[in-house]
Amino acid sequence: MRVKRFKGIAPLVLVVSLTACGSQQPAQQAQNTALTWAIETQPITLNPQQWGQNKVRLLVFNQFDALLSRAKDGTFRPWLAKSWKVSDDGLTYTLELRDDVTFHDGTKFDAAAVKTNLEQFFVPGYNPTVAAIQLRSFAKAEVKSPTTLEVTLKEPDALFLDFLASPYAGQISPKSLKAAKDVKFGGPDLVGTGPFILELYVQGQEIRYRRNPGYKWPPAGAGHEGPAYLSRITYRFLPEAAVRVGALTSGQVQVIEGVPATDAAMIKQDPGLTYQSSLNSGTSFSYYFNTAHAPFDDQRVREAFREAVDVDAVLKAVYQGTATRAWSVVTKGGPFYDASLEGSFGGNPAKANALLDAAGWKQRDAQGYRVKDGKRLTVRSVASAAFIRDRRDILAQAIQAQVKQSAGIDFQVKIVDQGTAQKALNDGEYEIFENSRGDADAGAALNLLLPGKGAINRTGFSDPNVEKWLAAAQATSDLGERKELYVKAQQVVVKDKAIVFPIYVPADQIAAQKTVQGLGFEEASGTPRGAYDVRIAT
């Protein structure tokens, strides 16, 4: 491995060869076995370049491969790109691609295909969010040879390599990009290079894959080489936790993810089952306050809402001690986490009531809710059912009860379909926006959530200093410098202005029949990895 320094962006791993794949084992014989896996969340898209649900990340990398992979320590490793180098000024990335890769439709993977995939993001309406954040510095891509692509950036960008290792860089056959009936949703007619081929999708029921027999290009760090062990895998959509657990214990499925805290101990004690868990990367599950209108245009009310909630008690009741409390928008344990925020807010009803009194919410109605000028102190949250995970509906009910009892706040919670939720957000018909992001690099999430014109800024809050710090952090890969800048941003939105109410760090759990081996989590994201290394012991 050779490390080269260049101006503008601090040292990166710039040239990496496939010799980094030392953890892989020699190819072993594939099995003529099928597996059924129950998952909590149904995908709203099967196109990796439209990916947004952290819970369905495991599906993406069954069907599609990215250009790079990312290790737990944040370093980048080869995948479809066997090596890469960056110019001294940080503006030119030269990717050397594998020459032995084919798409599921038989077409050749090459530099022209990668160029097509990159340029797809700039097709009007395709994915403007990624074009504005992860690819905001992209200038052009040039094919230098069938296996060499040169990408030119307008300015140094620390998030570009992260993009190449994300689901967004999942490579789609250019032929299928043109021919797909619904390219933004994807489905069986959208073709990748991954270890499995999407065979069947039944909305609300299941998704089925069959093995790609020619697969021989796993990412560095995979557990083996050659085709996947399993001949087929079926994912069943079972959103109810009790139903998933029942399906596992009765033998209807061999694997489940999204294990509720109420059943974790039982599964751990069962000698025929295994249990694993992992914290996710990115951003914490937080409530973001809409400052564009009352009542959260008043900072005292924002602070009062947070003080009215005993987060530790709520998490204990809902997750029975298995949840990790969040103190910042950035997840605990990540390289940019600001530990100084711990203990800085929450769990003080007396302070909450004093703040609301000072804000003029002194009167109470017959139901005990605070009122001012004849209007009740009401805050609304409208969440999409497609993004509900980890018993967040039950969590909201617990918070709802606490803010009423502690401070007289009427917290109204609605869980609706994706279209209805999006309309409410577009129309400003909400006061709380709930969100967590699973980006391996938290900087990508912060650039979406915090700038005034951020693609998912639902707070109406804008601060020129925060935007300056975020831009500066994206322009360097020096981790120390990036952390210093991101800490400043966290201090503003969490402590100084109370724009965000961090609640818990998302985590994933996998439970399985003991005969199922090779399960685990992606090193960078902490989410369940795909089924490439999964096998059934015989």
Side-chain angles (χ1 to χ4, degrees):
M1 181 180 297
R2 184 167 84 245
V3 178
K4 182 179 181 182
R5 296 179 181 272
F6 58 94
K7 299 175 182 178
I9 294 184
L12 276 172
V13 176
L14 303 181
V15 180
V16 183
S17 70
L18 285 175
T19 57
C21 303
S23 63
Q24 291 179 333
Q25 300 299 316
Q28 299 181 29
Q29 185 174 358
Q31 300 177 324
N32 185 24
T33 52
L35 181 137
T36 304
W37 184 328
I39 59 175
E40 182 176 12
T41 306
Q42 181 172 316
I44 58 176
T45 175
L46 295 170
N47 180 336
Q49 296 168 2
Q50 302 292 324
W51 165 78
Q53 296 164 285
N54 213 33
K55 273 285 192 177
V56 298
R57 188 179 177 117
L58 77 164
L59 302 178
V60 171
F61 287 138
N62 279 338
Q63 188 181 1
F64 301 93
D65 298 319
L67 294 165
L68 306 178
S69 66
R70 195 164 192 178
K72 190 175 183 64
D73 64 2
T75 58
F76 295 95
R77 303 184 297 196
W79 199 345
L80 294 184
K82 64 181 182 180
S83 67
W84 62 96
K85 60 182 179 180
V86 185
S87 62
D88 289 341
D89 60 7
L91 298 180
T92 304
Y93 287 68
T94 304
L95 306 177
E96 295 296 336
L97 309 174
R98 296 185 65 127
D99 63 1
D100 58 349
V101 179
T102 56
F103 289 101
H104 299 156
D105 59 8
T107 59
K108 183 75 172 176
F109 166 79
D110 57 14
V114 179
K115 175 180 167 69
T116 298
N117 276 265
L118 283 168
E119 293 175 345
Q120 179 70 26
F121 284 95
F122 298 93
V123 172
Y126 184 69
N127 194 332
T129 298
V130 171
I133 302 297
Q134 288 91 338
L135 290 177
R136 75 177 185 182
S137 301
F138 178 83
K140 62 180 179 178
E142 297 180 90
V143 175
K144 297 299 183 180
S145 78
T147 58
T148 305
L149 184 75
E150 185 177 278
V151 178
T152 303
L153 304 184
K154 292 176 284 190
E155 59 185 3
D157 194 334
L159 294 181
F160 184 64
L161 285 178
D162 180 70
F163 164 81
L164 297 181
S166 73
Y168 297 125
Q171 294 298 292
I172 301 172
S173 159
K175 180 180 177 181
S176 71
L177 274 173
K178 293 180 181 179
K181 297 175 183 177
D182 184 350
V183 69
K184 292 191 74 171
F185 174 74
D189 56 349
L190 205 63
V191 173
T193 63
F196 291 93
I197 299 169
L198 178 57
E199 188 174 61
L200 176 69
Y201 170 73
V202 182
Q203 185 174 5
Q205 297 183 34
E206 66 182 31
I207 184 168
R208 189 183 306 162
Y209 298 89
R210 70 176 187 274
R211 180 170 53 219
N212 176 5
Y215 192 77
K216 56 181 178 180
W217 43 85
H224 76 289
E225 298 175 349
Y229 295 117
L230 299 172
S231 56
R232 292 182 183 275
I233 181 166
T234 299
Y235 294 91
R236 294 178 57 192
F237 308 136
L238 300 179
E240 295 295 330
V243 175
R244 287 195 304 280
V245 173
L248 176 66
T249 56
S250 65
Q252 298 176 58
V253 303
Q254 290 81 52
V255 185
I256 65 171
E257 59 83 27
V259 180
T262 50
D263 294 301
M266 177 270 292
I267 289 173
K268 291 177 183 178
Q269 294 169 5
D270 190 321
L273 302 176
T274 61
Y275 175 90
Q276 305 176 56
S277 65
S278 174
L279 293 178
N280 294 171
S281 63
T283 57
S284 304
F285 176 71
S286 304
Y287 283 174
Y288 293 79
F289 298 130
N290 183 359
T291 68
H293 59 248
F296 288 141
D297 57 343
D298 188 327
Q299 182 168 336
R300 293 169 295 187
V301 181
R302 301 196 296 270
E303 292 181 3
F305 190 98
R306 298 195 312 190
E307 296 300 333
V309 182
D310 184 341
V311 175
D312 290 326
V314 167
L315 295 181
K316 184 177 181 181
V318 177
Y319 302 110
Q320 299 189 2
T322 64
T324 299
R325 180 171 182 174
W327 289 101
S328 178
V329 59
V330 175
T331 56
K332 189 173 185 177
F336 307 131
Y337 176 66
D338 181 8
S340 73
L341 292 168
E342 295 181 5
S344 63
F345 62 86
N348 189 335
K351 182 178 180 180
N353 283 286
L355 285 164
L356 292 176
D357 287 344
W361 295 92
K362 296 181 179 180
Q363 306 300 317
R364 303 258 185 165
D365 63 17
Q367 286 74 43
Y369 294 111
R370 287 178 177 264
V371 294
K372 181 171 70 171
D373 300 330
K375 185 177 180 180
R376 179 181 285 183
L377 179 52
T378 300
V379 297
R380 300 161 296 172
S381 171
V382 181
S384 168
F387 288 88
I388 295 298
R389 52 170 286 190
D390 304 344
R391 307 185 79 208
R392 289 177 180 174
D393 51 344
I394 307 302
L395 175 66
Q397 293 171 18
I399 294 174
Q400 181 184 59
Q402 279 215 349
V403 296
K404 176 185 179 182
Q405 181 179 0
S406 298
I409 300 171
D410 179 18
F411 179 29
Q412 299 180 0
V413 181
K414 289 185 179 180
I415 298 174
V416 296
D417 63 86
Q418 176 69 4
T420 302
Q422 191 62 51
K423 185 177 187 304
L425 293 172
N426 292 343
D427 294 344
E429 298 294 327
Y430 67 98
E431 285 70 48
I432 286 177
F433 168 64
E434 60 176 59
N435 183 266
S436 65
R437 292 277 306 179
D439 303 88
D441 190 311
L446 297 182
N447 274 285
L448 290 167
L449 291 159
L450 301 185
K453 294 183 178 180
I456 53 174
N457 180 330
R458 302 297 185 182
T459 65
F461 171 78
S462 178
D463 183 294
N465 284 325
V466 169
E467 295 183 16
K468 178 181 69 176
W469 297 329
L470 294 178
Q474 188 168 347
T476 176
S477 67
D478 183 285
L479 287 178
E481 185 177 349
R482 293 186 75 198
K483 179 172 182 177
E484 181 179 341
L485 293 163
Y486 288 139
V487 163
K488 289 181 179 180
Q490 292 170 73
Q491 286 283 326
V492 170
V493 300
V494 178
K495 187 176 181 180
D496 298 344
K497 299 297 184 181
I499 302 300
V500 184
F501 180 16
I503 300 174
Y504 77 95
V505 180
D508 275 297
Q509 311 84 28
I510 302 174
Q513 301 289 337
K514 204 165 189 177
T515 54
V516 181
Q517 300 177 356
L519 296 164
F521 302 91
E522 286 188 26
E523 293 179 277
S525 69
T527 58
R529 61 175 178 249
Y532 173 66
D533 283 325
V534 176
R535 59 191 181 278
I536 299 175
T538 55

